[in-house]
Amino acid sequence: MSVAPKSRPSRDEEVDVVIVGAGPSGSVAALHLARAGVSVVVLEQGEWPDYNDYTGARPEHELVSTKLWHPNPNVRDNPNDYPVDTSTTDINPLMFAGVGGSATLYGAQWMHFLPSDFRVRSMDGVADDWPFTYEDLLPYFLEVEREVGVSGLAGDPAFPPRPAYPFPALPIGSVGQRGALGMERMGWHWWPGSNAIPSEKFGELNACVRRGVCLTGCPEGAKSTTDRSHWPLAIKAGARLVVRARVKEVETNDQGLATGVVYIDANGRERRQRAKIVILCANGVGTPRLLLMSGGAKHPDGLANSSGLVGRRLMMHPFASVLASYEDPLDSWRGPFGQQVYSHEFYETDERRGFVRGSKWNCMPSGGPVGVSGAIGSKVYVAEEGRFQDFWGGNLHDNVARRFGHSLIWGIVGEDLPEENNQVVLSKDLTDSDGLPAPQIVYKVNENSNRLLKFNIDRCLESVRAAGAIETLVSVPVRESGWHLIGTTVMGDDPKRSVVDQWGACHDVPNLYILDASTFPTSGATNPTATIMAVALRNTRRMIAERRNQKVA
């Protein structure tokens, strides 16, 4: 691959690299490639975020955000989204199309995968080991943290020793203190939350004022997403970003090498972007969808799919939540929403529990009046009364009076084991607004996950009651919880058992790369954005170092 002059490429000329998707991984790749003098075009099907559309600072926020900023694209129904066929899944996939990707709607929980997450087969005899280790990835974790502006407190005994975070941890507040109290009384691990929110002004990011509206876009510009942390720098370095560009196909030549992509622009016109290297960063649903659409007559089962694993092994982290209410006020509308404290007490396998692998807990505020009324579902299980209860109707006023400002939520993220029957396929019935087949999700929560969640819910109830909870509400599994879309183009050393190698290069198409979480062999039990960006940085650095040896069309 030749090195182009450091200038922004014009429309339709051949470039060194075209990237599909401007979310966390695509942003990292674009910034570092552009800084290395590589000509880069990034195609994003969504728009630049309009920060004036974030409603978190307005009185009507809770009423309007559930539509405008709903994480389910089928509910949000934004013209830039594609619909998803969810008729065959237990959990709905949650995603967002736009510069910054689905992190626009994340809680900013910032967690590395743990060392054991890279050695699941060796340690527990299930799933697969990664082709590299935590120690291999640690330098990239730390570099990405500096780019993002992460706040946290080093020294957590659940992790190996590490340097200080770029910024001090955010205040844990009354919610975090009460969550920690229960863990202390049980003798269990907890630690102040690490978040992709700087505790002081950093670059384009402002200090957090703790509105607690992280999941619907940050009106203060404090939550770190790559539209703020990476894209201003990438554009300055020479990358070109094209929004409202829906990619429909990766093209290849007779030698089986990628030559670029075909996309539909904002005016509905079909265009072609030629490139020496193609990088897919379209998430664990969008990336396999694009590969399956790109097969044609030469590859009827999809591009880069000689292993038959494109779309398979989907992992979405089955999730449960426990809302606990207390007599005394907790100011539980205050943020950050993501995690004020977290726990890895039950992260590792203990076979006496009846399941393998484990969970991460994160303690969150319960939100405003509407949020606390429907914070974890329209029906929840009231543990003290042994029955399900509706949030709305005659219960509404009583629920708000009892819970608003007095409640916290423990979110329980369970490790999801890869199963080939959990997969992304092309829908036979549903299409997007351009007539392209929508993805269909085929997913069942397995018995290991059900046992894992039940065990952790029982332990969580013990913890919140130890801290004085007067009411507890349980929701499991939460259907609207498929934030983490993992595993559908798995990495590995054997082309018969994987789609890409450890550097993200497709075994079948050596100049086609995948840098999102679809390549992860396992899901861990923690939020994946930190690991997504670290892996993307590691692989991009390798791509730059080896560019003269890269096979291209």
Side-chain angles (χ1 to χ4, degrees):
M1 179 179 69
S2 64
V3 179
K6 196 170 184 178
S7 60
R8 189 167 292 110
S10 60
R11 184 187 293 275
D12 296 334
E13 71 173 279
E14 185 182 55
V15 296
D16 293 327
V17 177
V18 61
I19 300 173
V20 180
S25 59
S27 304
V28 167
L31 172 60
H32 290 275
L33 287 168
R35 281 179 168 173
V38 176
S39 59
V40 184
V41 169
V42 180
L43 304 175
E44 166 57 50
Q45 72 170 358
E47 296 266 19
W48 271 99
D50 183 343
Y51 304 129
N52 292 321
D53 288 342
Y54 294 160
T55 61
R58 302 177 196 166
E60 70 273 18
H61 164 68
E62 285 197 289
L63 298 177
V64 300
S65 62
T66 52
K67 172 64 175 177
L68 293 175
W69 299 106
H70 199 287
N72 185 333
N74 292 346
V75 176
R76 191 171 60 245
D77 199 25
N78 187 302
N80 297 317
D81 293 318
Y82 52 78
V84 182
D85 185 340
T86 58
S87 61
T88 52
T89 180
D90 290 344
I91 296 177
N92 289 333
L94 308 179
M95 62 185 91
F96 183 80
V99 180
S102 297
T104 301
L105 305 182
Y106 77 157
Q109 298 99 327
W110 190 266
M111 302 293 298
H112 299 175
F113 275 22
L114 276 69
S116 67
D117 292 324
F118 298 85
R119 300 186 295 119
V120 172
R121 168 63 68 176
S122 296
M123 293 183 63
D124 296 317
V126 296
D128 297 284
D129 290 346
W130 291 47
F132 51 85
T133 67
Y134 172 87
E135 291 73 20
D136 293 331
L137 202 55
L138 182 59
Y140 304 98
F141 276 131
L142 299 177
E143 184 171 352
V144 166
E145 284 182 357
R146 294 191 292 271
E147 294 178 357
V148 168
V150 176
S151 296
L153 178 67
D156 179 358
F159 285 92
R162 53 151 297 153
Y165 283 91
F167 294 96
L170 297 167
I172 68 172
S174 299
V175 164
Q177 292 175 36
R178 185 55 58 97
L181 176 63
M183 305 303 278
E184 285 285 339
R185 288 180 172 173
M186 297 302 297
W188 293 343
H189 169 267
W190 69 273
W191 199 255
S194 47
N195 294 280
I197 302 171
S199 49
E200 56 193 67
K201 183 170 175 55
F202 170 66
E204 298 287 324
L205 297 166
N206 298 314
C208 178
V209 298
R210 302 180 64 200
R211 288 190 183 276
V213 296
C214 308
L215 298 182
T216 51
C218 178
E220 302 300 325
K223 186 178 73 170
S224 187
T225 49
T226 56
D227 53 295
R228 296 183 183 273
S229 63
H230 284 68
W231 271 108
L233 301 174
I235 290 172
K236 184 177 180 179
R240 184 164 73 87
L241 175 61
V242 182
V243 297
R244 295 181 63 191
R246 177 172 281 162
V247 178
K248 61 177 290 187
E249 182 182 0
V250 177
E251 294 191 304
T252 57
N253 63 15
D254 292 339
Q255 289 71 49
L257 294 169
T259 59
V261 300
V262 178
Y263 69 96
I264 300 168
D265 72 10
N267 296 312
R269 294 173 297 193
E270 190 170 287
R271 292 190 174 275
R272 177 172 283 102
Q273 178 61 61
R274 296 177 295 121
K276 297 181 177 69
I277 291 176
V278 176
I279 301 177
L280 304 185
C281 301
N283 80 37
V285 171
T287 288
R289 177 200 184 207
L290 181 53
L291 292 174
L292 294 171
M293 291 195 299
S294 299
K298 291 186 292 185
H299 306 285
D301 296 324
L303 186 63
N305 197 24
S306 64
S307 65
L309 291 173
V310 168
R312 294 187 179 273
R313 299 170 55 105
L314 174 65
M315 295 169 276
M316 290 199 288
H317 279 160
F319 179 82
S321 57
V322 174
L323 183 146
S325 300
Y326 298 84
E327 289 281 5
D328 44 328
L330 300 179
D331 295 338
S332 52
W333 55 84
R334 302 195 69 184
F337 192 86
Q339 52 183 17
Q340 298 186 346
V341 300
Y342 65 85
S343 174
H344 284 132
E345 178 67 27
F346 304 108
Y347 199 89
E348 306 293 352
T349 294
D350 182 338
E351 293 181 356
R352 293 171 298 179
R353 300 172 187 156
F355 56 86
V356 293
R357 304 304 295 155
S359 67
K360 172 230 174 188
W361 300 5
N362 51 275
C363 186
M364 307 174 285
S366 54
V370 175
V372 78
S373 299
I376 54 176
S378 58
K379 277 184 180 291
V380 294
Y381 185 71
V382 184
E384 287 75 14
E385 300 177 13
R387 65 181 180 88
F388 286 91
Q389 180 191 81
D390 283 305
F391 269 119
W392 302 102
N395 295 313
L396 177 60
H397 293 285
D398 289 342
N399 289 340
V400 171
R402 185 169 59 256
R403 298 169 188 154
F404 176 52
H406 290 259
S407 302
L408 60 80
I409 298 174
W410 277 106
I412 301 170
V413 179
E415 176 153 357
D416 201 358
L417 297 177
E419 296 186 350
E420 290 189 14
N421 288 333
N422 286 340
Q423 60 184 307
V424 177
V425 298
L426 297 181
S427 176
K428 297 178 181 178
D429 305 311
L430 189 63
T431 61
D432 65 21
S433 57
D434 291 304
L436 304 176
Q440 178 178 348
I441 309 302
V442 181
Y443 180 90
K444 293 292 182 185
V445 177
N446 62 35
E447 184 58 29
N448 190 77
S449 292
N450 285 325
R451 292 178 181 177
L452 183 157
L453 291 177
K454 183 180 186 307
F455 171 88
N456 280 272
I457 288 167
D458 290 344
R459 303 292 79 72
C460 191
L461 290 171
E462 292 173 2
S463 172
V464 297
R465 288 168 180 161
I470 59 172
E471 179 188 48
T472 56
L473 308 176
V474 176
S475 185
V476 59
V478 180
R479 183 172 175 87
E480 295 286 346
S481 66
W483 289 105
H484 307 148
L485 307 171
I486 299 170
T488 48
T489 62
V490 62
M491 74 171 85
D493 296 326
D494 184 354
K496 295 180 180 179
R497 300 184 60 249
S498 57
V499 178
V500 303
D501 66 17
Q502 66 165 308
W503 306 107
C506 291
H507 294 300
D508 298 351
V509 187
N511 65 333
L512 172 61
Y513 287 77
I514 302 173
L515 299 186
D516 57 37
S518 65
T519 66
F520 289 11
T522 55
S523 68
T526 194
N527 312 78
T529 304
T531 306
I532 291 170
M533 294 179 74
V535 172
L537 178 57
R538 173 182 182 266
N539 292 357
T540 300
R541 285 274 167 75
R542 170 62 155 50
M543 197 181 305
I544 293 167
E546 294 293 321
R547 57 189 167 184
R548 299 187 188 282
N549 300 319
Q550 174 67 57
K551 190 174 183 180
V552 298

